[in-house]
Amino acid sequence: MDLLWDGIKEAFRLWIRGDAEIIEITLRTLAVSSLATAVSLLLGVPIGAALALKRFPGRRPLVALVNTGMGMPPVVVGLFVAIMLWRSGPFGGLGLIYTPWAIVIAQFVIAVPLVIGISLAAIQTIDPKLLDQMIALGANRLQLLWLIVREARLGLLAALMAGFGAVISEVGASIMVGGNIAGETRVLTTATVLETSRGRFEVAIALGVMLLVLAYLVNLVFTSAQQRRPA
């Protein structure tokens, strides 16, 4: 318990002191995870909507693939992305390995199945008769899209929170594709692993507390929007 308490005190000390390295790592963590989540939403929600609303040959295997991807181990994702971005890999010429962009790509691959799967489930709860009625009344595609987002907003916000929570807490893939390089690719999770391996448990606990607080504050904003009563 003393070690845990020392770690919490160390976290407060680092916050109060405004440690430059900790601020840099925290801001990088927030930027990388937010970008990966945003891209997964831009691609995942339309794909989830298409799978929910359309019937076509091969749909069930695709949905099963999405559901499998929702539980995909991050280290497997890291291995796959590392192979693709490695210097001798298909995209090695882009020079993305061991950069923040590599972490964004890996986190996107982790988040997008979650976004697709939860969006699909949320949109499937919309009464098809409501959509048919809107079409009969002459609604265009943009109006239908707005109706779908409005009716499934709680589930879509859940997809957002699930995707963000998955990537901000991820460590294995980030180390594999980012390398945990100080000042470049080090994020809160990888920094916590590093400090633990060095035996600096107080600093590791402080980093872990910062990660929890950051995740809580972001999800508090999302939860407030999700639980707000409609006018």
Side-chain angles (χ1 to χ4, degrees), residues 46-69:
I47 294 174
L51 290 174
L53 300 174
K54 296 183 180 297
R55 297 294 183 268
F56 52 87
R59 176 183 176 276
R60 288 189 178 181
L62 281 177
V63 173
L65 182 63
V66 170
N67 292 334
T68 302

Side-chain angles (χ1 to χ4, degrees), residues 38-221:
V39 177
S40 69
L41 281 175
L42 289 175
L43 295 180
V45 172
I47 294 174
L51 290 174
L53 300 174
K54 296 183 180 297
R55 297 294 183 268
F56 52 87
R59 176 183 176 276
R60 288 189 178 181
L62 281 177
V63 173
L65 182 63
V66 170
N67 292 334
T68 302
M70 292 174 70
M72 189 162 42
V75 290
V76 175
V77 174
L79 175 62
F80 173 78
V81 175
I83 292 173
M84 292 293 104
L85 299 182
W86 202 253
R87 294 174 181 85
S88 58
F91 303 102
L94 298 176
L96 296 177
I97 192 70
Y98 300 145
T99 67
W101 290 108
I103 301 178
V104 171
I105 294 171
Q107 291 188 351
F108 161 77
V109 176
I110 293 170
V112 73
L114 289 167
V115 174
I116 294 174
I118 298 176
S119 299
L120 189 159
I123 294 171
Q124 278 184 323
T125 62
I126 300 175
D127 188 350
K129 294 180 181 179
L130 177 61
L131 299 178
D132 293 338
Q133 184 180 14
M134 290 293 293
I135 294 174
L137 291 173
N140 56 37
R141 290 191 175 185
L142 185 60
Q143 291 170 324
L144 281 175
L145 178 61
W146 172 247
L147 174 66
I148 290 171
V149 170
R150 188 182 67 182
E151 292 296 318
R153 63 187 181 278
L154 298 182
L156 296 180
L157 282 168
L160 170 62
M161 288 186 283
F164 181 80
V167 297
I168 198 172
S169 61
E170 188 283 322
V171 58
S174 297
I175 289 180
M176 294 176 73
V177 303
N180 200 18
I181 303 171
E184 295 185 27
T185 61
R186 187 165 295 165
V187 292
L188 284 172
T189 51
T190 59
T192 302
V193 171
L194 178 64
E195 297 301 336
T196 301
S197 67
R198 291 174 173 176
R200 300 175 60 186
F201 295 109
E202 292 85 359
V203 179
I205 294 172
L207 291 168
V209 170
M210 291 180 183
L211 179 62
L212 289 173
V213 171
L214 177 62
Y216 173 78
L217 291 176
V218 173
N219 279 294
L220 179 61
V221 175

